[in-house]
Amino acid sequence: MYLFQRSEDLQNWLQTVRGHNRKIGFVPTMGALHAGHLSLIDQSAAANTFTVCSIFVNPTQFNDHTDLEKYPRTPARDIELLVNSGCDALFLPAVGEVYPEGLDTGVDVSLGQLAEVMEGAFRPGHFAGVMQVVHRLLQLVLPDRLYMGQKDFQQQAIIQEMIRQLELPVELVMADIVREADGLAMSSRNVRLSPEFRSKAPLIHEILSQIKQDSEERSVAEWKTWAHNQLEQAGFRPEYLEIVDGKTLQPVSSFKESKYIVACVAAWAGDVRLIDNVIVRG
Ligand code: PAF
């Protein structure tokens, strides 16, 4: 595996490997890699000639400074995991390599309602930062396929919309959520959970699974109240539990309202914010 810290070196290498009938897959990450990231790498390696992974803790997508500071950084372990995976090149840049013209280089895409709900409502500015960095990384790597996890459902919907509006020549592949044996969605933040919350955390997936399995048995409003109560009783602080149309991300009031419905949740487990979702239909 090659390791590049400078954009120019990455681009030079890409120039030598690009070619007719060769596909480049790209997996952007913020490091602290886990099995969820590795499954994105595996999928990319299986479908493309070369796989590029980036590790960059993007400062512009953190609305909370403490979250940025506390974000786990484990580069040595990440490199070891990647060397043993199907990754061909790792891009591990400093901030100045990604944003040579400064941090105020936004992307001109109007997200409208897509960015106003759920994560957008609770993390102001977050998606502008995510779009900015993914756009920049796509410019550098120019991949044929971009791999993102379903766990950040709203994020992939927004990147899909950016690709559509800017007519970027890349296919977004959404990969299934990878879970711990007890159902907790894999996340770099899980290592920060207290033992107490780690043992309670599978409840989040249990709630989502129950909504999916028995959706017809309650109304959307009833499920939302039920889920909030379950989370609160277990000591979580839910920020939202929304049942939304998978394309527009707007809340539905009935399960019959759309053929593509996703239940999404964000809840604080002590000082760790967890998100998860399940595709109810679609
Ligand atoms: O999902 C993430 O880890 C990040 O938001 C991403 C897509 C790598 C952009 O920084």
Side-chain angles (χ1 to χ4, degrees):
M1 183 185 78
Y2 292 93
L3 192 162
F4 300 108
Q5 292 186 293
R6 294 178 48 219
S7 312
E8 205 188 318
D9 296 339
L10 170 71
Q11 286 177 304
N12 286 342
W13 175 76
L14 280 164
Q15 239 174 23
T16 66
V17 301
R18 236 184 268 286
H20 188 59
N21 277 340
R22 288 179 170 180
K23 299 278 181 215
I24 310 262
F26 177 46
V27 182
T29 81
M30 297 204 298
L33 301 182
H34 51 66
H37 297 112
L38 296 177
S39 92
L40 296 176
I41 305 262
D42 284 351
Q43 285 183 50
S44 172
N48 299 283
T49 330
F50 295 100
T51 292
V52 178
C53 171
S54 64
I55 296 182
F56 177 61
V57 182
N58 172 37
T60 70
Q61 72 187 73
F62 286 83
N63 53 315
D64 175 352
H65 196 71
T66 323
D67 195 23
L68 172 61
E69 270 172 12
K70 283 196 192 158
Y71 201 84
R73 289 165 175 85
T74 55
R77 192 171 167 272
D78 291 348
I79 292 171
E80 199 182 313
L81 287 171
L82 288 174
V83 164
N84 295 308
S85 78
C87 177
D88 297 292
L90 165 63
F91 184 42
L92 189 68
V95 175
E97 284 295 318
V98 178
Y99 300 120
E101 278 148 37
L103 300 183
D104 298 328
T105 48
V107 183
D108 194 13
V109 169
S110 60
L111 292 171
Q113 302 277 349
L114 270 187
E116 276 157 32
V117 290
M118 302 192 286
E119 294 300 289
F122 284 93
R123 303 182 67 189
H126 170 65
F127 286 125
V130 171
M131 272 207 306
Q132 177 190 25
V133 75
V134 174
H135 184 254
R136 177 77 188 119
L137 292 168
L138 288 176
Q139 275 181 334
L140 288 172
V141 179
L142 294 174
D144 299 282
R145 299 193 183 92
L146 166 68
Y147 291 82
M148 300 190 92
Q150 183 200 317
K151 167 142 175 301
D152 294 289
F153 190 81
Q154 190 171 10
Q155 166 171 280
Q156 67 73 38
I158 282 173
I159 296 301
Q160 189 70 271
E161 180 60 13
M162 177 182 84
I163 290 171
R164 195 188 67 77
Q165 282 189 32
L166 301 178
E167 298 180 16
L168 303 177
V170 61
E171 178 196 345
L172 173 58
V173 180
M174 178 175 83
D176 291 349
I177 300 177
V178 179
R179 298 182 179 281
E180 302 284 357
D182 61 10
L184 174 64
M186 296 233 178
S187 163
S188 307
R189 292 186 169 89
N190 290 352
V191 294
R192 292 184 41 226
L193 288 169
S194 68
E196 187 200 342
F197 273 114
R198 176 61 193 85
S199 67
K200 288 178 181 174
L203 176 69
I204 296 175
H205 179 236
E206 283 160 27
I207 289 172
L208 293 171
S209 303
Q210 194 152 348
I211 296 176
K212 180 183 169 90
Q213 192 190 304
D214 301 328
S215 61
E216 303 297 325
E217 286 178 16
R218 289 187 169 116
S219 71
V220 164
E222 283 165 352
W223 276 121
K224 287 200 291 201
T225 312
W226 172 82
H228 269 268
N229 289 342
Q230 295 281 312
L231 288 167
E232 271 164 7
Q233 275 163 26
F236 293 92
R237 278 180 297 123
E239 269 189 348
Y240 63 79
L241 185 131
E242 289 292 0
I243 299 180
V244 301
D245 177 290
K247 281 264 175 288
T248 67
L249 302 186
Q250 299 314 293
V252 295
S253 47
S254 132
F255 289 104
K256 297 202 171 63
E257 217 170 289
S258 167
K259 289 198 169 67
Y260 187 20
I261 289 186
V262 187
C264 303
V265 60
W268 287 92
D271 67 348
V272 183
R273 187 172 183 277
L274 298 176
I275 63 170
D276 199 353
N277 66 78
V278 72
I279 297 175
V280 178
R281 22 182 333 201

